[in-house]
């Protein structure tokens, strides 16, 4: 790849020409592999939501298609959000990032007073249809991308870099912690540290941020819910039979699935006590019904999403695009890793959805909106590449014509001179 243009301050902010391989993968401004991976994940997710929810829907709503129908409605809204975000120039959103963040904070505050209580927590509004913490995850990436991009020259100064960043994460994370939604808090802080790293933050400040993250982790662990989850996780590490009933049923599902699975919609663990089979535990249903083969394929799809997201980030038009594409892609992949690791007792129980797969309107719509921004970064990079290629070709053609004129003129002069007596 060619070198980036350097501005007067010496910062690498210009467009980085795409490799030949990446050019072949981008057609009409659309990153084809990225879009195909998204489509496959969404189709697979709809199939698994129906398989995991028909019994729950029939028992609670007398309609086996109830959860599937709602998910399809949310998917339609999410697709519209994806298309809108992929078409509108991401630079335009910088005008609304502050009002958007304030609106997100208002929703998080409203949850504490007017939220629906479920399982001892207030996380949703309007009968469980809207979960503001999902919007907060998207907005924290967008807000920090714009903020870090604008403050890029001052990030090494702790008073302009780490301290304001810690304040932003602390306020958002504090509101979510009061719900409480421990997994969302940890995700917010992980994304904040990752964004600071992608923006080129000072290594010493990154280490300090990691230390602050550990302190936040200690606060979370010392909360009643946190102590219970950590204790259950540690007991399960020492003896699987001592782990929580949720983890035991999840492991049972994977054991039943074996290498190839029992077949879509033929799993039994979801019918006999697996908690939240169509939301938090849907990966366990995937493991039982598609086996190791299906589970590994799903993991590879997320790896493919990460690959294309990084490629789009590297070929972005500017530093803002690089931060947006990198941060939003890592958000989806990190959430997926946490969810899948929890189901096999590699991490303490988090309670987050499997992005693009689990049933849940807020998660699906926000995830697709974020992926739409990534696609827009890819489109902007492709437009920039075509403009630079046209300019290069125009200069090359002009130089070629000038060279031919000079050579032709010199030849005529030489020929005329040779005919003189």
């Amino acid at each position: 790849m060619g070198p980036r243009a350097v501005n007067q301050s010496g910062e690498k902010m210009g467009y980085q020409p795409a490799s030949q391989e990446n050019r072949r993968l981008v057609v009409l401004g659309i990153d084809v592999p990225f879009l195909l991976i998204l489509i496959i994940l969404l189709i697979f997710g709809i199939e698994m939501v129906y398989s995991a929810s028909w019994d729950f829907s029939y028992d609670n709503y007398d309609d086996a298609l109830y959860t599937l129908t709602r998910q399809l409605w949310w998917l339609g809204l999410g697709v519209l959000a994806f298309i809108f975000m992929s078409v509108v120039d991401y630079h335009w959103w910088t005008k609304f990032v502050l009002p958007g963040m304030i609106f997100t904070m208002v929703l998080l505050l409203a949850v504490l007073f007017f939220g629906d209580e479920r399982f001892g927590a207030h996380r949703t509004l309007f009968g469980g249809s809207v979960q503001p913490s999902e919007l907060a995850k998207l907005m924290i990436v967008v807000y920090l991308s714009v903020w870090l991009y604008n403050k890029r020259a001052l990030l090494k100064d702790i008073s302009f870099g780490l301290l304001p960043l810690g304040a932003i994460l602390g306020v958002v994370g504090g509101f979510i912690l009061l719900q409480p939604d421990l997994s969302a808090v940890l995700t917010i802080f992980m994304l904040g540290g990752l964004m600071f790293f992608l923006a080129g933050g000072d290594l010493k400040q990154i280490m300090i941020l990691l230390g602050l993250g550990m302190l936040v982790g200690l606060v979370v662990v010392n909360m009643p819910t946190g102590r219970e989850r950590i204790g259950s996780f540690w007991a399960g590490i020492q003896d699987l039979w001592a782990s929580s009933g949720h983890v035991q049923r999840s492991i049972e599902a994977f054991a039943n699935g074996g290498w190839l699975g029992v077949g879509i919609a033929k799993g039994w663990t979801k019918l006999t006590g697996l908690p939240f089979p169509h939301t938090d535990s849907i990966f366990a249903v995937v493991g039982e019904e598609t086996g190791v083969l299906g589970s590994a394929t799903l993991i590879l799809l997320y790896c493919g999403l990460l690959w294309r997201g990084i490629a789009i980030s590297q070929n972005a038009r500017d530093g803002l695009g690089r931060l947006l594409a990198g941060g939003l892609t890592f958000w989806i992949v990190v959430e997926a890793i946490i969810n899948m690791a929890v189901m096999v007792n590699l991490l303490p129980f988090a309670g987050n959805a499997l992005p693009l797969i689990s049933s849940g309107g807020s998660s699906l719509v926000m995830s697709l909106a974020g992926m739409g921004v990534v696609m827009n970064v890819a489109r902007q990079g492709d437009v920039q590449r075509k403009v630079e290629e046209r300019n290069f070709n125009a200069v090359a053609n002009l130089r070629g014509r000038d060279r031919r004129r000079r050579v032709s003129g010199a030849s005529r002069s030489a020929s005329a001179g040779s005919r003189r007596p």
Side-chain angles (χ1 to χ4, degrees), residues 167-211:
I168 294 169
L169 297 178
V171 172
V172 177
F175 275 32
I176 298 176
L177 189 63
L178 293 175
Q179 297 180 8
D181 190 344
L182 306 186
S183 64
V185 173
L186 294 177
T187 300
I188 291 291
F189 273 85
M190 289 175 62
L191 289 173
L194 179 63
M195 297 298 296
F196 192 67
F197 171 77
L198 292 176
D202 183 67
L203 182 59
K204 293 181 180 179
Q205 294 190 45
I206 292 175
M207 298 302 295
I208 295 175
L209 189 61
L210 288 176

Side-chain angles (χ1 to χ4, degrees), residues 53-86:
S53 68
W54 67 266
D55 181 69
F56 167 84
S57 297
Y58 186 79
D59 286 344
N60 290 273
Y61 305 101
D62 294 324
D63 181 5
L65 299 178
Y66 177 82
T67 302
L68 174 65
T69 303
R70 284 177 58 88
Q71 189 72 356
L72 288 173
W73 278 107
W74 285 114
L75 176 60
L77 183 60
V79 170
L80 291 177
F82 174 84
I83 294 173
F84 182 74
M85 291 295 192
S86 64

Side-chain angles (χ1 to χ4, degrees), residues 267-385:
W268 284 96
T269 309
K270 64 191 178 188
L271 307 177
T272 57
L274 176 67
F276 318 113
H278 57 289
T279 54
D280 299 354
S281 304
I282 199 167
F283 186 59
V285 180
V286 172
E288 182 174 21
E289 299 187 352
T290 67
V292 173
L293 179 62
S295 302
T297 301
L298 182 59
I299 293 172
L300 288 176
L301 286 171
Y302 282 114
C303 290
L305 196 70
L306 178 62
W307 160 58
R308 290 316 304 162
I310 292 175
I312 291 170
S313 177
Q314 290 177 337
N315 293 289
R317 179 177 176 179
D318 53 21
L320 177 59
R322 289 197 297 276
L323 287 172
L324 284 170
L328 291 170
T329 302
F330 276 111
W331 163 42
I332 297 298
V333 175
V334 166
E335 288 257 86
I337 291 173
I338 292 174
N339 179 277
M340 293 185 289
V342 165
M343 288 298 101
V344 293
N345 204 41
L346 293 179
L347 286 176
F349 187 79
N352 66 312
L354 184 59
L356 306 171
I357 303 293
S358 292
S359 172
S362 299
S363 174
L364 183 60
V365 173
M366 293 300 105
S367 297
L368 284 174
M371 294 301 93
V373 175
V374 177
M375 182 64 77
N376 185 260
V377 174
R379 292 181 65 252
Q380 292 292 322
D382 187 56
V383 169
Q384 181 74 11
R385 174 181 64 81

Side-chain angles (χ1 to χ4, degrees), residues 106-143:
V106 170
L107 287 181
L108 291 175
L109 188 61
V111 168
L112 301 178
F113 294 98
F114 311 107
D116 307 299
E117 184 176 356
R118 295 188 178 186
F119 307 107
H122 295 80
R123 301 180 184 177
T124 60
L125 295 169
F126 309 112
S129 299
V130 177
Q131 188 169 350
S133 61
E134 295 296 331
L135 174 61
K137 295 173 187 176
L138 172 63
M139 282 305 305
I140 200 69
V141 175
V142 176
Y143 183 84

